[in-house]
Amino acid sequence: MSTSTNIKTIMKRELSGYFTSPIAYVFLVIFLLLTGFFTFTIGNFFERGEASLVSFFTWHPWLYLFLVPAVGMRLWSEERRLGTMELLLTMPITSWQAIVGKFLASWLFLALALALTFPVVITVNYFGAPDNGLIVAGYFGSLMLAGSYLAVSCMTSALTRNQVISFILSVMICLFLILAGYTPVTELLSRFASPVVVDVVAAFSVMTHFEGFQRGVLDTRDVVFFVSVIGFMLFTTGVIIRNQRAG
Amino acid sequence: MINVEHLVKAFGPKLAVNDVSFSVERGEVLGFLGPNGAGKSTTMRMITGYYPPTSGRITVGGHDMVEAPIAAKRLIGYLPENAPGYADMTVNGFLNFCAELRGLQGDARRRAVHHAVDLCFLESVLYQSIDTLSKGYKHRTCLAQSLIHDPDVLILDEPTDGLDPNQKHEVRGLIKRLGESKVVIFSTHILEEVEAACSRVIIIDRGRIVANGTPAELKARSPEGRLEDVFRAITLPDTVKAEAHA
């Protein structure tokens, strides 16, 4: 049987798993409430008086910090807890197909949540004439950011059968990915480190690469960064899953 | 059909399976007997491709489990210990998912699911979610999953665990029937089960094969002709020794 059929089968199961439990609905409601709250209340969307979604996208790295690990924490830890991992990995599929299928399902779910924020796009277009190319780039960057966090959660969920541990580990790693390029941190760092070191550390941060998309710049380097984070984390997930069985 | 040569599995310094070799042909029902922690499940997990062996070789239908895992896994139906299942899925959804992973599509899939449901008497719980099932039904759901693609090889880890006496009787009958045309390996620590369903018995203790023969041959080793005496005679002294050391 072909790789894509296997991945699709795994994806379908994983995605329907979100919707047969309350997780999906709770997540969607909280995600939409929080994005609205951050954009309009804390981000002063109306007071800014500009036709852009800056106040919307600025908060995504922080919002995702807690929400994406909440989606990803169960990916493999649940399989281990239920013992279904043994069932899944003795099926005639490769572990890569299972890892990619599960990851894509969760990513698709996050994409759905992101798509449901469309009212802000309508709002900003109603009140002014924003650069919609910039908004598309912003959404694309946001989706890449969510994918990177999700790949981190996928990796931490393979480490443990305990979802709480998986969640906390994943938040810590994602926080590092933010802080390495967060302006207050880079300023602090530049006081006692050479600019080269500061740049190298900042290059590992999702912030540095996320900001490019917000300015409407689709830089290949930024895309490559996010794709490599996802690739690396999924690869690590595969290694962890194999090593656990190797004893 | 299944060839196992010098199989070793180490977890850290501990040898869970230590130099196990045997082969099983079509038409045989092989019973794995042994005390708890003897290495029965570990051996089965290696044969089904879940654990990679530390050393040794496994071939299933001529396919090497390490070099050609997909081809080997296709031939196997596996019921893991404790019969796991996705809690949030219905029995129907779960069986369809497993059938799809086995490469069954459309009509063939529907027929396979229907057949497995019939074999395991799951009709009445078909649209119930797995976490609401009683232990017996949950067990049979997972058993149905292992039969869904009509595999040549069935590996069942404690297939009658948690079943009531009627269900146990049915499952033993099923194993015996399936064993006429397939290879069945199942583990148990219920001795009467071995006599009821197996054509051959392997007794494993502390990772090693300590006896291999037909139930009749093994029984002949005891003056009273009871399998239980043989089992105790082979495995008990070792266990006692192990405890004395520890």
Side-chain angles (χ1 to χ4, degrees):
Chain A
M1 197 163 73
S2 76
T3 302
S4 67
T5 327
N6 286 340
I7 292 179
K8 231 183 290 168
T9 306
I10 305 260
M11 265 179 81
K12 207 168 67 184
R13 197 212 75 74
E14 198 65 35
L15 204 56
S16 69
Y18 283 113
F19 288 97
T20 48
S21 64
I23 302 174
Y25 306 101
V26 171
F27 179 85
L28 289 176
V29 168
I30 289 180
F31 176 76
L32 295 174
L33 282 177
L34 284 180
T35 45
F37 175 69
F38 277 105
T39 309
F40 293 104
T41 309
I42 301 194
N44 297 321
F45 176 78
F46 291 113
E47 289 81 351
R48 292 170 85 98
E50 55 183 51
S52 81
L53 287 185
V54 171
S55 65
F56 171 67
F57 288 120
T58 310
W59 300 102
H60 282 194
W62 300 99
L63 201 58
Y64 287 162
L65 179 60
F66 294 99
L67 291 179
V68 173
V71 169
M73 65 181 183
R74 56 188 275 285
L75 276 177
W76 286 99
S77 49
E78 181 86 344
E79 295 273 347
R80 285 184 63 185
R81 198 178 58 81
L82 289 174
T84 44
M85 189 153 152
E86 191 170 344
L87 212 54
L88 192 62
L89 297 180
T90 50
M91 288 285 174
I93 60 168
T94 65
S95 49
W96 297 116
Q97 291 165 353
I99 291 167
V100 171
K102 277 169 152 305
F103 172 77
L104 286 181
S106 309
W107 204 12
L108 202 64
F109 175 68
L110 290 173
L112 173 75
L114 197 57
L116 287 177
T117 60
F118 70 91
V120 291
V121 183
I122 296 174
T123 308
V124 79
N125 271 290
Y126 178 77
F127 285 116
D131 179 351
N132 278 316
L134 200 68
I135 292 177
V136 169
Y139 267 106
F140 180 71
S142 181
L143 192 60
M144 294 308 274
L145 180 72
S148 307
Y149 284 10
L150 186 64
V152 170
S153 312
C154 189
M155 188 274 283
T156 61
S157 79
L159 282 172
T160 167
R161 69 182 63 214
N162 186 323
Q163 296 195 9
V164 178
I165 296 174
S166 154
F167 178 81
I168 293 171
L169 277 177
S170 150
V171 169
M172 291 312 291
I173 296 174
C174 292
L175 185 64
F176 169 79
L177 287 178
I178 292 181
L179 289 182
Y182 188 49
T183 319
V185 175
T186 47
E187 272 169 13
L188 185 73
L189 200 61
S190 62
R191 274 191 223 156
F192 48 83
S194 69
V196 182
V197 175
V198 176
D199 280 351
V200 168
V201 173
F204 279 102
S205 171
V206 291
M207 290 302 245
T208 321
H209 300 279
F210 183 61
E211 275 158 13
F213 291 105
Q214 289 204 58
R215 291 196 304 271
V217 187
L218 271 176
D219 191 334
T220 335
R221 279 174 300 178
D222 295 335
V223 179
V224 167
F225 170 79
F226 284 117
V227 171
S228 3
V229 170
I230 293 172
F232 175 75
M233 286 301 166
L234 293 187
F235 175 77
T236 313
T237 308
V239 172
I240 291 169
I241 287 174
R242 192 169 24 180
N243 282 358
Q244 276 162 354
R245 290 181 291 148
Chain B
M1 195 78 192
I2 297 182
N3 249 305
V4 173
E5 293 161 32
H6 305 294
L7 202 58
V8 175
K9 180 68 182 177
F11 292 106
K14 189 178 171 288
L15 287 178
V17 172
N18 189 359
D19 196 22
V20 163
S21 304
F22 62 89
S23 63
V24 203
E25 291 310 318
R26 201 183 277 275
E28 274 191 292
V29 177
L30 175 67
F32 259 26
L33 264 177
N36 287 326
K40 301 187 298 279
S41 289
T42 308
T43 306
M44 290 181 143
R45 283 175 174 162
M46 284 192 279
I47 298 173
T48 52
Y50 183 60
Y51 285 162
T54 306
S55 69
R57 209 170 111 93
I58 301 158
T59 55
V60 179
H63 304 287
D64 189 296
M65 186 46 92
V66 175
E67 274 148 33
I70 304 292
K73 283 174 183 177
R74 250 187 215 127
L75 301 174
I76 301 176
Y78 178 39
L79 171 71
E81 203 179 2
N82 302 323
Y86 291 100
D88 54 6
M89 290 183 107
T90 63
V91 172
N92 186 53
F94 175 68
L95 292 179
N96 272 292
F97 168 68
C98 294
E100 267 179 61
L101 284 183
R102 293 291 184 181
L104 296 161
Q105 300 285 340
D107 253 1
R109 190 187 75 211
R110 270 187 291 277
R111 270 200 307 276
V113 170
H114 190 78
H115 185 64
V117 165
D118 269 359
L119 268 181
C120 300
F121 310 100
L122 291 168
E123 195 61 57
S124 59
V125 295
L126 206 47
Y127 297 101
Q128 224 170 297
S129 74
I130 290 179
D131 58 354
T132 66
L133 296 179
S134 67
K135 197 172 179 194
Y137 273 117
K138 192 173 168 240
H139 218 90
R140 279 189 278 166
T141 302
C142 201
L143 181 65
Q145 162 278 132
S146 69
L147 298 169
I148 208 149
H149 53 302
D150 193 23
D152 288 338
V153 176
L154 264 175
I155 309 228
L156 312 170
D157 201 347
E158 301 195 1
T160 57
D161 181 46
L163 301 183
D164 67 36
N166 291 333
Q167 293 166 339
K168 274 188 182 148
H169 183 79
E170 280 162 20
V171 169
R172 276 176 213 155
L174 184 67
I175 289 174
K176 226 174 165 173
R177 269 208 318 285
L178 292 167
E180 286 163 13
S181 57
K182 300 175 191 300
V183 175
V184 183
I185 301 181
F186 78 95
S187 73
T188 181
H189 35 236
I190 306 169
L191 295 167
E192 70 226 58
E193 201 148 85
V194 172
E195 299 194 63
C198 293
S199 60
R200 192 146 63 90
V201 188
I202 283 179
I203 301 180
I204 298 185
D205 186 36
R206 293 195 292 151
R208 285 178 179 279
I209 293 183
V210 288
N212 183 352
T214 65
E217 280 167 18
L218 291 184
K219 274 197 288 190
R221 290 195 193 179
S222 122
E224 282 93 23
R226 289 199 331 203
L227 204 53
E228 192 188 336
D229 297 336
V230 181
F231 182 79
R232 285 176 66 85
I234 297 174
T235 61
L236 197 58
D238 284 338
T239 329
V240 170
K241 262 185 271 166
E243 275 166 8
H245 277 291

